[in-house]
Amino acid sequence: MPFISQIQRQTDYNLFPSSTPIVIDNGASYFRIGWAGETDPRVIFRNIVQRPRHKTTGETVTIVGDHDTTLLKYFDCTRSGPRSAFDSNVVYQFEIMEYILDFAFDRLGANGSEQIDHPVLITECVCNPVHSRSKMAELLFETYGVPSVAFGVDAAFSYKYNQQYGICNKDGLAICPGFSTTHVIPFVEGEPVYRGSCRTNIGGYHITDYLKQLLSLKHPQHMTKLTWEKVEDLKMEHCYIAPDYFSEAQLFQKGTKEAEHKTRCWQLPWVPPPTEEPPSEEEIARKAAIKERQGQRLREMAEAKRSSRINELENQIHGLEFLLQQLEQVEENDIAAFLSDTGYVSRQEIESTLVKLTQSLRKAKGERKVEQAELEKTDASMNEKYPLIHIPDNMLSLEQLKEKRRQIFLKTTTEGRQRAKQKRVEEELEQEKKNQEEEERRLENPELYVEQMQAKYKELSEKIDQRKRLKTNGNHTNGNNTSGGVGRGERLNAAQRERMRLLTTAAFDRGKGEDTFGAKDEDWQLYKLMSRDNDDDDEEMDENEAELARISARLQEVDPTFVPKQESGPTQSAAEIPRVRPLTKEDFQIVLGVERFRCPEILFRPNWVGIDQVGLDEMTGVSIRRLPTKDKDLEQRLTSSILMTGGCCLFPGMSERLEAGIRMIRPCGAPIKVVRALDPVLDAWRGASVYATKLQFPQQTFSRMDYYEKGEDWLRRYQLQYTL
């Protein structure tokens, strides 16, 4: 299970006498602090510091240890990520270490304005550099006023604590796979032999980072969910050590039931999309009735508006006709004075307005065809407008001839426009008539009408698709209705091939001798054939596509279940059309298969992550070979009492795999016993807590006065004695 932090502020700090030591387990992953003699530390938190800025005020705040993700939304964390005071397993950033100690002493209950008047026992790594130890002592003495300090190795405290309970012997090996490094320390007569110790730069940090990389590559769409904290939890909950890595990997490669049983799944938050059921017949009928009522309302509103418009136009026409009747009774000289109050200037303007209003009235009433009298009136007005058209040329001067040609051109253009307009009107009437007939057929038998429209839609779709295929492939396919590897001549249609034949024949005849092409009328007929616009098929296709679009729109109106066919390019196959499927529950799952045992395997194979060092099993052999004395009995005593301590020892199968690996490098029949600590995580602090309660503990510390008098050289020779 994941480690849980404890950062509640203690209230009993003043109840402890000044002689009670404070025990600190300063690990690269977690920081633990408490009182000597107690079984558990009082405060536990992650050994990291973060200094983000507040988004509103811009103030920089210091966050030590674990943080609440709901509070970080108020801070800008893009420029300040989590920072550690450790480089590998050595403290080197003492500014960060000061933030951590401030927070630790505050959570323990100390007042920030007062000095720490308790002895301090703090853990460090194996063979800690003198510079790091002296800086830590300087920080504790000068910043916090600690009276005395003792430094000890965390793995040694854990070994001595388990030795009290008979878990291990006086002679043995302590294997400590930590957060960033792994150590092997031999113990002889209960004391660590640092000359025989061994270190590998591999630990829990590398396992978490490796697992995060593998899961990000496997599920790139969920990279934002794979935070460091969550991957750390997944590692502690699901990872294990395989007894034989390659046999375990073959199980997952073959996909056996055992592999499925070992696969774990992390379900991300997922809300199933709402299912859309097809509408029932009652729903379709209800929607059709609503649409019919809405259409009837629109038609009634349009009819009312049309009636109002007709009445308005009729009133205006009656007014103009009455005005013209009054003008007939007015003398020519008084017309201007009479029209000054009406807004018109002349009789012609009134007549022109009357003609426009009459046309608007006919259009509002739906009278599209012009009566014969109107045509005759139009002809008369045309004759009045173009008086030179019917006069012979021999009776006109040069200027009049030019004016006559201009009038002929204007008259021809005007007549052409009128004919085009009349044609459009007739086409609109014809289309309206067809629409009315279609609506009548639909009302008579709606189901039959929909079936007929769908059949026509399918027929036109197939016809258009076939024309596109023929135009692309030239009547040649590869058996799958897709374009094959054909030449340009095979891609041409019949009309284009005929044109190519005529051009080839003309060129061949011309090269025979004398060029007599054009002497006969048949030659010019050949020019007409060659220069003919061969777009008849395209025009027919455009008409079919327009009709298909009209039918599709009509079907969407009358049939709610109709789905129009998606168009694709002529060279695009059906397999290339992208298909989008709805997201399912499986798309929001993080699956852990081989990653469960592949990531912890780097403890035994560090070269998988680019670290050219030995694994855990080989480290024991290296440590034994480094001992100053070559005693076979001592080696057997060491291998018969191997203690595993540290957070990475919690992986299931760790002891069995480590024992099998050590057995392969030791002589046949050598006694090998690998045991795990009672609590690999807290035994280091508990061992230090027990050690600090002994009466001889003050003799193992050095005071602030000794530090000021003897200086850094005395710290170089300082070494804690664990057997008291």
Side-chain angles (χ1 to χ4, degrees):
M1 292 296 294
F3 304 134
I4 301 176
S5 299
Q6 300 175 5
I7 57 174
Q8 292 82 11
R9 195 174 192 275
Q10 307 299 312
T11 58
D12 55 351
Y13 178 83
N14 295 324
L15 301 179
F16 289 88
S18 60
S19 60
T20 304
I22 296 176
V23 180
I24 299 175
D25 181 12
N26 188 21
S29 177
Y30 277 82
F31 188 95
R32 303 173 183 88
I33 185 172
W35 297 102
E38 295 185 347
T39 57
D40 292 321
R42 292 292 188 94
V43 180
I44 302 174
F45 57 89
R46 287 186 64 192
N47 209 339
I48 56 174
V49 174
Q50 192 170 2
R51 290 178 55 79
R53 288 186 178 182
H54 197 278
K55 293 182 179 179
T56 305
T57 62
E59 180 183 0
T60 301
V61 298
T62 303
I63 301 176
V64 179
D66 299 306
H67 50 268
D68 191 354
T69 55
T70 58
L71 296 178
L72 284 183
K73 64 181 180 179
Y74 301 105
F75 299 94
D76 182 12
C77 302
T78 57
R79 298 183 180 180
S80 175
R83 300 176 61 190
S84 174
F86 287 81
D87 180 9
S88 187
N89 62 337
V90 178
V91 179
Y92 79 105
Q93 288 285 356
F94 286 92
E95 294 180 359
I96 299 176
M97 196 70 234
E98 185 175 354
Y99 286 121
I100 293 172
L101 289 174
D102 287 343
F103 181 77
F105 289 133
D106 177 76
R107 295 293 95 183
L108 192 62
N111 191 355
S113 60
E114 299 179 358
Q115 293 184 344
I116 306 299
D117 56 351
H118 295 268
V120 173
L121 172 59
I122 186 169
T123 62
E124 61 180 6
C125 65
V126 181
C127 301
N128 190 32
V130 179
H131 177 73
S132 176
R133 179 183 290 180
S134 63
K135 287 292 184 182
M136 181 65 73
E138 179 183 350
L139 180 65
L140 292 173
F141 284 138
E142 297 186 1
T143 305
Y144 299 101
V146 176
S148 60
V149 176
F151 293 97
V153 179
D154 51 358
F157 285 128
S158 178
Y159 189 88
K160 298 296 292 184
Y161 180 77
N162 285 272
Q163 182 183 344
Q164 296 178 359
Y165 292 92
I167 304 299
C168 53
N169 303 326
K170 290 184 178 181
D171 299 335
L173 293 173
I175 300 179
C176 180
F179 181 69
S180 56
T181 57
T182 298
H183 291 90
V184 174
I185 307 173
F187 282 81
V188 178
E189 296 297 329
E191 289 293 329
V193 182
Y194 295 121
R195 292 185 62 183
S197 62
C198 180
R199 186 186 78 172
T200 297
N201 294 324
I202 196 75
Y205 168 82
H206 303 86
I207 298 174
T208 305
D209 185 65
Y210 192 37
L211 179 60
K212 188 173 185 298
Q213 291 180 16
L214 294 180
L215 294 180
S216 298
L217 291 173
K218 190 175 182 180
H219 304 280
Q221 70 276 16
H222 298 305
M223 290 184 63
T224 56
K225 302 292 183 181
L226 297 172
T227 60
W228 179 269
E229 291 79 8
K230 188 59 187 179
V231 175
E232 182 82 13
D233 295 345
L234 293 176
K235 178 191 74 173
M236 300 305 299
E237 290 179 6
H238 302 299
C239 287
Y240 66 95
I241 303 293
D244 186 357
Y245 176 80
F246 295 102
S247 300
E248 195 81 6
Q250 286 180 357
L251 293 177
F252 283 85
Q253 186 178 7
K254 294 178 182 179
T256 60
K257 291 184 178 180
E258 185 178 357
E260 295 180 0
H261 179 71
K262 293 182 177 180
T263 302
R264 297 293 181 267
C265 179
W266 173 36
Q267 181 64 55
L268 297 174
W270 174 73
V271 178
T275 57
E276 296 182 359
E277 298 180 356
S280 60
E281 295 182 359
E282 293 79 4
E283 184 69 17
I284 295 174
R286 187 182 66 83
K287 290 183 178 180
I290 293 175
K291 183 178 286 188
E292 184 66 27
R293 288 195 298 269
Q294 292 176 349
Q296 183 64 29
R297 286 180 56 193
L298 291 175
R299 286 192 291 270
E300 292 176 355
M301 292 171 61
E303 184 63 27
K305 187 176 180 180
R306 176 172 166 272
S307 301
S308 175
R309 175 65 175 169
I310 290 174
N311 294 333
E312 182 181 355
L313 291 174
E314 288 178 348
N315 293 333
Q316 293 180 2
I317 290 173
H318 292 326
L320 291 177
E321 290 177 350
F322 179 73
L323 183 60
L324 289 175
Q325 292 177 3
Q326 288 182 339
L327 280 177
E328 293 179 356
Q329 301 176 2
V330 178
E331 296 182 359
E332 190 69 24
N333 297 330
D334 300 334
I335 290 179
F338 178 77
L339 294 177
S340 60
D341 298 333
T342 61
Y344 295 98
V345 179
S346 62
R347 180 190 296 271
Q348 288 78 9
E349 185 179 357
I350 298 175
E351 292 176 352
S352 176
T353 305
L354 182 61
V355 171
K356 291 180 181 180
L357 291 176
T358 304
Q359 293 176 356
S360 299
L361 181 61
R362 288 199 182 97
K363 186 176 181 180
K365 290 182 177 181
E367 299 176 359
R368 302 292 184 177
K369 294 185 179 181
V370 183
E371 299 178 356
Q372 186 66 25
E374 293 295 332
L375 291 176
E376 293 178 357
K377 184 177 180 180
T378 303
D379 293 340
S381 62
M382 292 282 287
N383 293 332
E384 294 178 358
K385 191 173 182 180
Y386 307 111
L388 300 178
I389 293 178
H390 301 288
I391 300 176
D393 294 345
N394 55 6
M395 299 177 61
L396 300 175
S397 61
L398 293 176
E399 289 78 6
Q400 291 176 341
L401 287 174
K402 292 180 181 180
E403 181 65 22
K404 179 181 178 181
R405 285 193 292 270
R406 190 182 70 83
Q407 292 180 3
I408 292 174
F409 174 74
L410 293 176
K411 181 181 178 182
T412 305
T413 306
T414 305
E415 290 176 351
R417 291 174 180 172
Q418 291 178 355
R419 287 194 298 269
K421 185 177 180 181
Q422 184 66 23
K423 185 178 180 181
R424 287 196 301 270
V425 170
E426 292 176 356
E427 289 177 355
E428 291 176 0
L429 289 173
E430 186 68 21
Q431 187 64 35
E432 289 181 1
K433 185 177 179 181
K434 289 182 180 180
N435 294 338
Q436 292 177 359
E437 292 177 356
E438 274 193 12
E439 187 66 20
E440 291 176 359
R441 285 191 286 110
R442 186 185 72 83
L443 295 176
E444 290 178 0
N445 194 343
E447 296 180 357
L448 179 61
Y449 174 77
V450 172
E451 291 179 0
Q452 292 176 353
M453 294 291 286
Q454 290 178 349
K456 193 172 182 180
Y457 179 83
K458 183 178 180 181
E459 180 183 356
L460 284 175
S461 299
E462 293 177 354
K463 187 176 180 181
I464 291 174
D465 292 342
Q466 184 179 5
R467 283 187 175 276
K468 288 182 178 179
R469 288 195 298 269
L470 292 176
K471 188 175 181 180
T472 304
N473 302 334
N475 296 327
H476 292 271
T477 60
N478 56 10
N480 296 323
N481 290 332
T482 57
S483 59
V486 296
R488 172 174 170 78
E490 296 178 348
R491 293 198 300 267
L492 301 178
N493 56 23
Q496 291 173 338
R497 287 198 294 271
E498 178 65 18
R499 185 180 181 188
M500 290 293 293
R501 187 189 67 80
L502 293 174
L503 289 172
T504 306
T505 303
F508 180 75
D509 293 341
R510 184 175 181 180
K512 288 183 178 180
E514 184 180 359
D515 186 8
T516 59
F517 185 80
K520 300 179 181 180
D521 294 339
E522 291 80 2
D523 297 339
W524 298 105
Q525 186 66 25
L526 182 61
Y527 268 128
K528 294 180 181 180
L529 292 174
M530 287 190 296
S531 61
R532 179 183 300 172
D533 189 10
N534 296 313
D535 293 334
D536 296 338
D537 295 337
D538 296 338
E539 292 178 359
E540 185 177 357
M541 182 179 294
D542 293 340
E543 294 177 358
N544 292 335
E545 290 179 352
E547 182 66 15
L548 183 67
R550 188 189 69 82
I551 295 176
S552 175
R554 184 62 177 168
L555 281 173
Q556 290 178 355
E557 293 178 0
V558 300
D559 187 8
T561 61
F562 171 75
V563 178
K565 180 180 177 182
Q566 298 292 334
E567 295 184 0
S568 59
T571 60
Q572 185 179 10
S573 61
E576 296 175 353
I577 300 176
R579 294 182 175 87
V580 180
R581 64 174 180 84
L583 296 177
T584 60
K585 182 180 180 181
E586 287 73 16
D587 295 325
F588 290 84
Q589 291 178 351
I590 303 295
V591 180
L592 288 88
V594 294
E595 296 84 6
R596 294 186 62 197
F597 60 91
R598 183 179 181 182
C599 296
E601 186 67 20
I602 65 175
L603 292 174
F604 299 89
R605 307 174 192 270
N607 57 335
W608 284 8
V609 290
I611 299 176
D612 191 13
Q613 297 177 5
V614 297
L616 287 182
D617 46 4
E618 298 182 34
M619 288 176 67
T620 58
V622 174
S623 180
I624 292 174
R625 289 195 299 270
R626 288 181 177 178
L627 291 175
T629 59
K630 306 297 180 182
D631 188 356
K632 299 296 182 181
D633 295 337
L634 177 61
E635 293 180 3
Q636 291 182 1
R637 292 198 303 270
L638 292 177
T639 57
S640 62
S641 177
I642 300 176
L643 178 72
M644 297 187 307
T645 183
C648 292
C649 295
L650 296 175
F651 291 124
M654 184 70 171
S655 58
E656 293 82 0
R657 173 64 183 278
L658 187 59
E659 182 177 348
I662 296 174
R663 194 174 299 278
M664 293 179 64
I665 63 176
R666 295 299 299 162
C668 180
I672 298 174
K673 181 181 179 182
V674 180
V675 294
R676 194 176 73 177
L678 296 175
D679 191 340
V681 178
L682 295 178
D683 278 356
W685 187 91
R686 289 169 179 168
S689 175
V690 172
Y691 183 86
T693 57
K694 296 184 178 180
L695 297 176
Q696 296 85 356
F697 171 71
Q699 301 174 5
Q700 302 298 322
T701 63
F702 63 95
S703 64
R704 183 169 47 188
M705 297 303 297
D706 294 337
Y707 172 76
Y708 288 149
E709 291 178 3
K710 301 176 181 179
E712 183 178 333
D713 293 337
W714 190 84
L715 287 174
R716 188 185 304 274
R717 296 188 300 270
Y718 173 81
Q719 185 172 343
L720 192 72
Q721 185 179 357
Y722 294 92
T723 302
L724 300 178

